Amino acid sequence: MTTKNHPMSNILTITHRNLLKTLHNPDSLSDVIIEPVTFTLLFGYLFGGVIAGSVHAYLPMLVSGILVQSILNAASGSGQQLREDINAGVFARFKTLPISPIAPLAGQLVGDSLRLLLSGVAALTTAFLMGWRPTVGLPTLVAVLLLAIFIGWSTSWIFALVGLMAKNAELIGSLSMIIILVLTFLSNAFIPTKTLPRFIQTIVKLNPVSLTITAIRMILRTGNWSSNATMVLISGGIIILIFMPLTVFIYQQRD
């Protein structure tokens, strides 16, 4: 049987290629490792005393916010990397090879899961080194990380669609960063919602990022799965059901 008859093998090969590209490109690692480390240190030491009285007291609140922000930042890189490969002619080259037609796109999105994992681990490790100590066991902590990765991976399909439709990789990166910053700052990620003006509180409560952060905080605090966490899974599933087939359709329509 030819290689083309093994789509999973094709996808894994393209995934390996994308992972090597990420690991050997310092610029692509900035949103995966450098940003979570920088934001955790910056927010923790600058705002910890003002918001919670001390850095140590602020970390339990900060961890969930930084984790979600880091995962979303890493997910937003999907569209930019996809567009860079398209503009460089890499995808045109893939189409001349005897591989599954969907392998280049799927390989990109599968590879993103490791980027999300690295980003989440970087955020949690930095908080741990700053003095944060989780009150839950390792299995629960892993469950929290997987939940964040799941919502990030589902969101990466949105950014992948943007990457297919937009023409400029730099513009995609800039817009993605602005969107992520607005979503995280207009959420309960870094400050108590009750300190905000009433109309902003309404926006924060409607923000899906707030739902994810609240679910993670509840799990880290109680060690129990909550209805909010279930809602996060449902929300991520809906995003995948809508944007995965749409992204695949747009990709297949490309010349």
Side-chain angles (χ1 to χ4, degrees), residues 84-153:
E84 288 175 351
D85 278 348
I86 292 173
N87 289 348
V90 175
F91 274 64
R93 173 58 178 158
F94 283 149
K95 291 196 174 197
T96 68
L97 300 176
I99 61 175
S100 172
I102 201 63
L105 177 62
Q108 173 70 54
L109 273 297
V110 172
D112 282 339
S113 59
L114 180 59
R115 286 167 41 84
L116 301 178
L117 175 62
L118 290 174
S119 185
V121 169
L124 294 177
T125 301
T126 304
F128 187 84
L129 293 176
M130 291 173 63
W132 172 68
R133 295 296 180 268
T135 58
V136 297
L138 181 60
T140 303
L141 197 59
V142 171
V144 164
L145 182 58
L146 291 178
L147 179 64
I149 290 173
F150 172 73
I151 199 67
W153 189 76

Side-chain angles (χ1 to χ4, degrees), residues 181-200:
L181 288 177
V182 170
L183 286 175
T184 51
F185 279 102
L186 284 178
S187 72
N188 58 352
F190 307 120
I191 59 175
T193 305
K194 63 182 180 181
T195 63
L196 299 170
R198 188 172 299 275
F199 75 96
I200 296 183

Side-chain angles (χ1 to χ4, degrees), residues 3-19 94 99-112 153 157:
T3 304
K4 190 172 182 179
N5 293 325
H6 298 276
M8 184 55 65
S9 176
N10 300 158
I11 291 172
L12 292 177
T13 300
I14 300 297
T15 298
H16 182 251
R17 174 258 177 192
N18 289 331
L19 292 178
F94 283 149
I99 61 175
S100 172
I102 201 63
L105 177 62
Q108 173 70 54
L109 273 297
V110 172
D112 282 339
W153 189 76
W157 283 98

Side-chain angles (χ1 to χ4, degrees), residues 22-238:
T22 298
L23 294 175
H24 290 87
N25 186 355
D27 291 339
S28 64
L29 285 175
S30 64
D31 61 338
V32 177
I33 296 177
I34 298 176
E35 285 188 18
V37 172
T38 301
F39 277 113
T40 305
L41 293 171
L42 186 66
F43 285 23
Y45 287 117
L46 285 182
F47 303 138
V50 175
I51 296 175
S54 68
V55 176
H56 188 268
Y58 183 48
L59 284 175
M61 178 181 186
L62 179 65
V63 164
S64 54
I66 288 292
L67 176 60
V68 173
Q69 183 193 53
S70 302
I71 292 289
L72 292 178
N73 272 330
S76 69
S78 300
Q80 186 173 4
Q81 290 197 5
L82 200 59
R83 174 45 58 183
E84 288 175 351
D85 278 348
I86 292 173
N87 289 348
V90 175
F91 274 64
R93 173 58 178 158
F94 283 149
K95 291 196 174 197
T96 68
L97 300 176
I99 61 175
S100 172
I102 201 63
L105 177 62
Q108 173 70 54
L109 273 297
V110 172
D112 282 339
S113 59
L114 180 59
R115 286 167 41 84
L116 301 178
L117 175 62
L118 290 174
S119 185
V121 169
L124 294 177
T125 301
T126 304
F128 187 84
L129 293 176
M130 291 173 63
W132 172 68
R133 295 296 180 268
T135 58
V136 297
L138 181 60
T140 303
L141 197 59
V142 171
V144 164
L145 182 58
L146 291 178
L147 179 64
I149 290 173
F150 172 73
I151 199 67
W153 189 76
S154 63
T155 306
S156 68
W157 283 98
I158 301 177
F159 291 109
L161 178 62
V162 173
L164 289 174
M165 299 180 69
K167 301 299 182 184
N168 187 294
E170 290 73 20
L171 178 60
I172 295 171
S174 299
L175 289 178
S176 298
M177 177 171 288
I178 292 173
I179 291 171
I180 297 301
L181 288 177
V182 170
L183 286 175
T184 51
F185 279 102
L186 284 178
S187 72
N188 58 352
F190 307 120
I191 59 175
T193 305
K194 63 182 180 181
T195 63
L196 299 170
R198 188 172 299 275
F199 75 96
I200 296 183
Q201 288 186 32
T202 302
I203 296 175
V204 168
K205 291 176 181 177
L206 295 174
N207 187 346
V209 172
S210 296
L211 174 64
T212 305
I213 293 171
T214 299
I216 290 175
R217 280 185 183 147
M218 291 182 68
I219 296 175
L220 289 176
R221 185 172 63 250
T222 66
N224 298 320
W225 192 262
S226 66
S227 58
N228 283 330
T230 301
M231 286 299 300
V232 171
L233 288 179
I234 294 173
S235 300
I238 292 173

